[in-house]
Amino acid sequence: MRPIVFNECFGWLHDAEGKTGVILCNPYGHEALWTHRGWRALAENLSRNHFPTLRFDYRGTGDSAGAENEGDAIETWLNSIEDAVRYMREHTGVAQVVLCGIRLGGTLAALVANRIAVDGLVMMAPVTSGREYQRELRLIQRRWRNTAAPHIEAEKHKPDYLETLGFRLYPETLRHLEQVALPQDLQPAVPNVLLLDPEKSRASGAVLNFYREHAVNVEVDAFDDYTALLSEISDTPAPHASIQRVVTWLRTHLGDGMGVRSPSDLPTAAVINDATAPDVMHVAPMLHGNGFCETPVIFDNGRLFGIYCRPETAQTDGPVPDDESVDDLLRDMQVDLTSAATGQYAVLFANTAASHHIGEARMWVTQARLLAQRGIASLRMDVGILGDSAGAQESIEATMLHSMRSCADVSEGISWLVDAGHTRPSPVGICSGAYLCFHATVMNPRAVGAVLINQNFYTWSDKDATRPEMVVAATRVYLASIRRADKWKRLFSGQIPVGTIAATLMRRQFEKWGRRGADILKAFGGQENHTGAVRKAFSTLAQRGVRVRILYGDFDVGLEESESYFGRDFKWLRGLPGMNISTERSLDHALFLYPARQIMQEVIERHLHEQASCSANLQAGGAANASRPQWNAFGRQPPLRSVAAKR
């Protein structure tokens, strides 16, 4: 597979010898994140069966240019699919093109088939009513708020956007989506159609009847592994049955085309292979935007993949905009982060859970491009088992996400940034990504800082994969719920697993007492325990002069884990130089909420600000500690408060 860029869209071409090309059309938002592993498995399988396949991100999504609030996204995505069809025909020489989409992507593919000639259409559980789909998205968000962030106050006014797990649809898009309805919007323009239906619903039956009435060669089949393809659960297997069904249908109706053409040799398909070896740097696909330029990179002997984002240069067509918030930031920092000297600073964004390198709700893409506008380069990367790295796995277990191998991969990313000329790199991670960044910073002496957000664990063993903490909230959440009538109602109705929660809370308390006891024994010559090992690691970082930013939500379960190592209010850790710890009530665990991402951006900028201040030898308490910037990409942000100040 080879990275490509076309019309401000980023994608991967899985080339093959066949004459029939397949274009995969993503679903929307969180479903696109969940589908990524299965979508890659489908593309690789199609390529092995001689079907050149293109998977890509629509403009305003994934690694492509643009933002989600730029006008009518539905129309933008339809145009992106049309661009993909043209690219496939012009750059691979295929004779036939098939569109394959799941959920909203299946609907978009069908609408594009009305506009331009294609030879086949695969619709996998398509959205048949835009109005009903909006209701479904609102229900998902409401359920998530009630379970994952009940302590965070919702907005008092009704917003004009629709928000679902960190993604937003804005008014123009909502109006267009509300008008989408199948089969009313369909035209019998495509000769071959495959419909995979997980529920055999009345709506999908109407789509099937429409095509049959217009003499379209249409087939319908079950979609039994729908959940495997479209699930946030990372250890589900790839949907091999549906993949095989698609391959069989393509062979039957469009032929495999084996040996008809040679795989294309695109001049833009090469990537930067190794920052330390300029002689292997070729013309790479680049994506330019306002103040940034992005290049795909493959490193560590072809094992790892990332997107290198750096400030746009004057020679390119994307000047930094005149942004008052950027000016305010630089003035407050008293350090010019756009100067050439700051090229030494860089940020590495690590995977969150099993999500690929764009981050939950595409947050790493947004952060990388904002930093580029401020003069800071970054690398958002996939560890070896995830995303678009060579050895990405179809099924991911929690132990794999916390393995030392994955930590070493993040360390390789740190070294890549240093070799590229950024001598002061800092990794940034959330949850399991924070775990990877912590251990990578410990093992790589070239790291000068780290930002750790909502880190659940500091040590890991296989038994941790089944610990109730993976599903049970922090003790503070249950204590706060005592005052809520709706929680008592759910308790008495049997909706809350009281036994599991009670056992977990009790075990947490016993573990806390056990660690305190081990500390006492260690003082009298006992063996070092987990607490001692974690503290020793942080002491090592402090001795190396590494600056560490730690951020937790007030009710995050990881906060409890941290306090068991460092004491309440992080008393032990705050005694080390270079350690900065904050907590915030409005921080949900995955940072789906926009206020949480406001805080994250503020923390990252402060971290860089402090590093630049130290580098410039500014006096403590001077200009470097002046008032913080009050604006960022997500809106106005109040100052952060330290743990000690809040409690």
Side-chain angles (χ1 to χ4, degrees):
M1 65 183 192
R2 298 181 292 182
I4 60 169
V5 171
F6 61 93
N7 287 19
E8 299 189 309
C9 291
F10 179 84
W12 288 92
L13 178 64
H14 299 252
D15 211 353
E17 300 172 345
K19 66 178 181 180
T20 301
V22 181
I23 295 173
L24 302 185
C25 303
N26 286 336
Y28 163 69
H30 62 283
E31 293 182 336
L33 270 175
W34 298 349
T35 307
H36 187 272
R37 283 179 292 117
W39 227 220
R40 174 174 169 175
L42 173 58
E44 291 177 338
N45 199 299
L46 289 170
S47 178
R48 285 194 298 269
N49 282 276
H50 315 296
F51 296 101
T53 304
L54 172 61
R55 57 186 174 96
F56 73 104
D57 299 320
Y58 313 127
R59 179 180 166 81
T61 73
D63 286 311
S64 293
E68 60 185 0
N69 61 349
E70 295 179 348
D72 180 0
I74 299 296
E75 186 62 30
T76 297
W77 300 341
L78 294 172
N79 291 335
S80 293
I81 297 174
E82 291 187 50
D83 291 338
V85 173
R86 283 189 284 270
Y87 182 92
M88 176 70 85
R89 285 176 171 154
E90 293 172 5
H91 291 271
T92 69
V94 296
Q96 302 175 113
V97 172
V98 174
L99 297 178
C100 174
I102 185 171
R103 296 288 285 145
L104 186 60
T107 308
L108 297 173
L111 297 178
V112 169
N114 294 341
R115 299 183 176 193
I116 60 176
V118 293
D119 302 279
L121 172 65
V122 179
M123 305 170 70
M124 308 172 76
V127 171
T128 55
S129 168
R131 184 172 298 179
E132 290 297 324
Y133 183 58
Q134 290 186 41
R135 293 194 186 116
E136 177 186 332
L137 294 177
R138 289 190 174 93
L139 178 61
I140 292 172
Q141 178 72 357
R142 186 161 59 249
R143 286 177 174 172
W144 174 80
R145 286 292 307 241
N146 290 338
T147 57
H151 57 285
I152 300 177
E153 185 177 351
E155 296 172 305
K156 292 182 173 60
H157 65 283
K158 185 177 180 181
D160 62 352
Y161 52 80
L162 193 164
E163 185 169 351
T164 310
L165 304 186
F167 293 92
R168 287 181 176 179
L169 295 174
Y170 289 88
E172 283 188 68
T173 304
L174 293 173
R175 286 192 292 270
H176 191 154
L177 182 59
E178 190 166 356
Q179 301 304 314
V180 172
L182 304 183
Q184 291 92 319
D185 292 338
L186 295 177
Q187 297 178 17
V190 60
N192 301 289
V193 175
L194 172 63
L195 175 63
L196 297 184
D197 184 5
E199 298 178 346
K200 297 183 179 179
S201 63
R202 180 181 301 176
S204 60
V207 171
L208 178 65
N209 291 335
F210 169 83
Y211 283 123
R212 283 177 174 169
E213 290 170 1
H214 290 84
V216 173
N217 180 20
V218 59
E219 292 185 14
V220 64
D221 206 342
F223 195 179
D224 294 332
D225 47 10
Y226 166 80
T227 303
L229 180 56
L230 202 77
S231 173
E232 64 175 326
I233 302 173
S234 58
D235 60 358
T236 54
H240 293 292
S242 295
I243 289 174
Q244 188 56 47
R245 180 67 181 94
V246 172
V247 171
T248 301
W249 179 82
L250 286 168
R251 283 177 169 172
T252 301
H253 297 284
L254 294 118
D256 59 20
M258 183 176 178
V260 171
R261 49 173 290 277
S262 298
S264 59
D265 184 17
L266 304 180
T268 59
V271 298
I272 299 177
N273 293 296
D274 192 338
T276 63
D279 56 313
V280 298
M281 295 177 65
H282 308 287
V283 176
M286 290 187 181
L287 189 66
H288 299 281
N290 286 335
F292 71 87
C293 174
E294 293 186 340
T295 309
V297 295
I298 295 174
F299 57 101
D300 194 32
N301 297 317
R303 271 195 338 107
L304 303 176
F305 174 79
I307 298 287
Y308 177 46
C309 181
R310 61 189 186 278
E312 184 66 280
T313 62
Q315 285 75 32
T316 56
D317 57 358
V320 178
D322 183 11
D323 188 341
E324 292 183 2
S325 65
V326 177
D327 294 338
D328 290 342
L329 174 69
L330 298 177
R331 183 168 55 252
D332 287 339
M333 292 171 68
Q334 299 294 308
V335 177
D336 185 5
L337 288 186
T338 61
S339 70
T342 59
Q344 62 186 312
Y345 297 99
V347 171
L348 183 146
F349 295 109
N351 299 104
T352 302
S355 296
H356 64 296
H357 56 269
I358 70 169
E360 300 286 358
R362 203 192 180 211
M363 65 179 65
W364 291 156
V365 178
T366 301
Q367 287 298 309
R369 293 172 183 177
L370 287 170
L371 288 175
Q373 290 179 355
R374 286 144 170 82
I376 304 296
S378 64
L379 175 69
R380 51 185 190 269
M381 66 167 286
D382 291 317
V383 297
I385 60 170
L386 293 177
D388 294 308
S389 286
Q393 303 295 300
E394 294 180 356
S395 178
I396 310 295
E397 298 177 355
T399 295
M400 300 164 69
L401 297 175
H402 296 82
S403 70
M404 282 298 105
R405 175 66 268 180
S406 293
C407 296
D409 290 344
V410 174
S411 177
E412 290 290 345
I414 293 171
S415 293
W416 189 93
L417 283 170
V418 173
D419 293 338
H422 308 291
T423 57
R424 301 187 64 79
S426 294
V428 176
I430 301 170
C431 188
S432 63
Y435 176 94
L436 300 180
C437 291
F438 166 61
H439 286 280
T441 304
V442 172
M443 67 175 61
N444 193 328
R446 306 170 92 177
V448 299
V451 179
L452 313 175
I453 304 172
N454 287 339
Q455 184 172 343
N456 262 5
F457 302 100
Y458 287 87
T459 62
W460 183 268
S461 65
D462 290 344
K463 67 179 182 180
D464 290 322
T466 57
R467 284 176 64 175
E469 275 82 352
M470 304 298 284
V471 293
V472 176
T475 305
R476 293 177 178 85
V477 172
Y478 298 110
L479 293 176
S481 297
I482 292 174
R483 298 187 293 271
R484 293 183 52 176
D486 61 319
K487 295 297 182 181
W488 285 101
K489 184 177 180 181
R490 292 187 64 204
L491 175 67
F492 289 125
S493 65
Q495 298 179 46
I496 296 178
V498 181
T500 300
I501 293 172
T504 302
L505 299 184
M506 187 175 298
R507 189 185 58 74
R508 286 175 183 169
Q509 190 60 45
F510 280 128
E511 285 188 352
K512 189 177 296 184
W513 289 337
R515 284 171 179 164
R516 289 176 182 173
D519 288 342
I520 295 173
L521 292 176
K522 178 65 170 62
F524 290 95
Q527 291 185 346
E528 187 173 68
N529 62 350
H530 288 314
T531 300
V534 172
R535 289 183 175 184
K536 183 177 180 180
F538 273 101
S539 295
T540 300
L541 294 179
Q543 291 168 8
R544 281 170 35 198
V546 177
R547 305 189 67 86
V548 180
R549 273 267 180 181
I550 296 176
L551 176 66
Y552 280 103
D554 278 356
F555 292 84
D556 195 87
V557 67
L559 184 58
E560 234 167 312
E561 179 88 358
S562 293
E563 290 183 335
S564 71
Y565 287 109
F566 311 122
R568 189 164 181 80
D569 298 338
F570 293 78
K571 183 178 180 180
W572 182 89
L573 192 59
R574 286 192 291 110
L576 295 179
M579 303 295 152
N580 193 311
I581 305 105
S582 302
T583 67
E584 282 294 325
R585 183 179 180 85
S586 57
L587 214 69
D588 64 282
H589 182 71
L591 276 61
F592 285 153
L593 298 175
Y594 265 56
R597 277 176 278 167
Q598 293 175 6
I599 294 169
M600 174 186 68
Q601 182 182 335
E602 171 77 357
V603 164
I604 294 172
E605 290 177 352
R606 282 190 178 189
H607 175 76
L608 295 168
H609 159 277
E610 289 167 359
Q611 291 222 11
S613 299
C614 292
S615 179
N617 295 317
L618 295 179
Q619 294 182 351
N625 294 314
S627 61
R628 306 265 60 85
Q630 297 295 303
W631 290 93
N632 59 32
F634 303 103
R636 186 176 294 276
Q637 170 60 37
L640 291 173
R641 294 164 290 174
S642 70
V643 174
K646 292 183 63 177
R647 298 185 177 180

